[in-house]
């Protein structure tokens, strides 16, 4: 009996000592290691415009005619469609390049309820300068063009300078869409009569990047 009391007394003393030590030292919470926070940067959509491309274009066209000394002005609306090839070079925020296009001109309407007498074609060599804003490229252009027209069996051709503005959108790394307005001025001399003709076009284009 005495041994049991001694064992009980010893066990109670150990429990009391452990509790006293815990109270004296305070409670220490377990340390839980966490993964370091990772900052996620939002990167804006960017595009590299450098490379060759080729495609098709179509849209509306307008021929404005004036005859020196006669005070006569005529306008005809029609359409154009054709092919183009080009090359762009991306220098960072500045993009420069060149483009060569061929367009068929037809279906002109002089406003008298029927088709006009003119059809023809135009070849343009353009220099482009634009601003790289990611997948969107607004640009300005100057062009040197040669236009051929046929009217009532008479063929005329002339070269002229022009300018325009446009924008290209990189839909995918290979597909590029565009819109453009361009105007060129020509002087035609057809026998006894001469005419100043302005060609204005609005184009929608689709290009494949090589």
């Amino acid at each position: 009996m005495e041994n049991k009391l001694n064992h009980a007394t010893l066990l109670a003393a150990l429990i009391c000592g452990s509790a006293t030590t815990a109270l004296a030292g305070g409670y220490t919470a377990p340390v839980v290691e966490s993964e370091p926070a990772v900052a996620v940067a939002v990167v804006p959509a960017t595009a590299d415009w450098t490379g060759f491309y080729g495609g098709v274009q179509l849209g509306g066209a307008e021929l404005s005619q004036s005859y020196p000394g006669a005070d006569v002005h005529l306008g005809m609306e029609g359409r154009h469609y054709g092919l183009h090839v080009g090359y762009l070079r991306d220098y960072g925020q500045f993009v420069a390049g060149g483009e060569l296009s061929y367009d068929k001109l037809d279906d002109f309407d002089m406003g008298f309820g029927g088709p006009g007498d003119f059809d023809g074609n135009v070849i343009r060599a353009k220099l482009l300068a634009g601003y790289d804003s990611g997948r969107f490229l607004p640009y300005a252009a100057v062009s040197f063009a040669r236009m051929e027209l046929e009217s009532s069996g008479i063929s005329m051709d002339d070269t002229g300078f022009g300018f325009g503005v446009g924008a290209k959108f990189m839909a995918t790394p290979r597909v590029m869409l565009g819109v453009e307005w361009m105007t060129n001025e020509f002087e035609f001399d057809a026998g006894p009569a001469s005419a100043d003709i302005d060609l204005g076009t609005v184009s929608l284009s689709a290009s494949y990047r090589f």
Side-chain angles (χ1 to χ4, degrees):
M1 185 68 178
E2 183 177 356
N3 289 336
K4 292 182 178 180
L5 290 175
N6 290 337
H7 289 163
T9 301
L10 180 59
L11 180 61
L14 290 175
I15 294 174
C16 291
S18 299
T20 302
T21 302
L23 291 175
Y27 175 74
T28 302
V31 178
V32 179
E33 295 184 0
S34 60
E35 295 293 331
V38 178
V40 178
V42 179
V43 180
T46 59
D48 183 2
W49 293 91
T50 299
F52 290 93
Y53 62 92
V56 298
Q57 73 274 356
L58 59 86
E62 181 178 6
L63 287 174
S64 300
Q65 309 166 66
S66 61
Y67 297 87
D71 195 24
V72 176
H73 301 275
L74 298 174
M76 296 186 295
E77 295 183 352
R79 63 178 181 176
H80 73 95
Y81 51 89
L83 305 172
H84 64 267
V85 293
Y87 176 79
L88 295 174
R89 179 74 176 181
D90 197 332
Y91 295 95
Q93 290 187 325
F94 175 72
V95 178
E99 185 175 296
L100 182 66
S101 65
Y102 169 84
D103 283 283
K104 175 67 176 175
L105 306 172
D106 66 6
D107 200 23
F108 284 95
D109 187 351
M110 296 186 68
F112 302 137
D117 295 330
F118 285 101
D119 61 10
N121 59 76
V122 60
I123 299 175
R124 287 169 167 154
K126 310 173 191 176
L127 294 177
L128 284 63
Y131 175 75
D132 184 352
S133 59
R135 295 168 63 189
F136 182 69
L137 176 68
Y139 65 88
V142 294
S143 66
F144 178 78
R146 183 168 186 81
M147 183 167 67
E148 297 179 354
L149 291 178
E150 293 184 3
S151 176
S152 302
I154 300 176
S155 298
M156 302 173 288
D157 60 80
D158 190 39
T159 56
F161 291 94
F163 60 91
V165 293
K168 297 183 184 296
F169 175 72
M170 196 176 296
T172 73
R174 292 296 183 186
V175 177
M176 186 167 60
L177 305 177
V179 59
E180 181 185 81
W181 170 83
M182 181 70 62
T183 182
N184 290 91
E185 298 181 356
F186 304 92
E187 295 181 1
F188 288 94
D189 186 4
S194 61
D196 296 333
I197 296 182
D198 295 341
L199 171 66
T201 57
V202 176
S203 309
L204 298 177
S205 65
S207 309
Y208 181 81
R209 304 181 68 240
F210 299 100

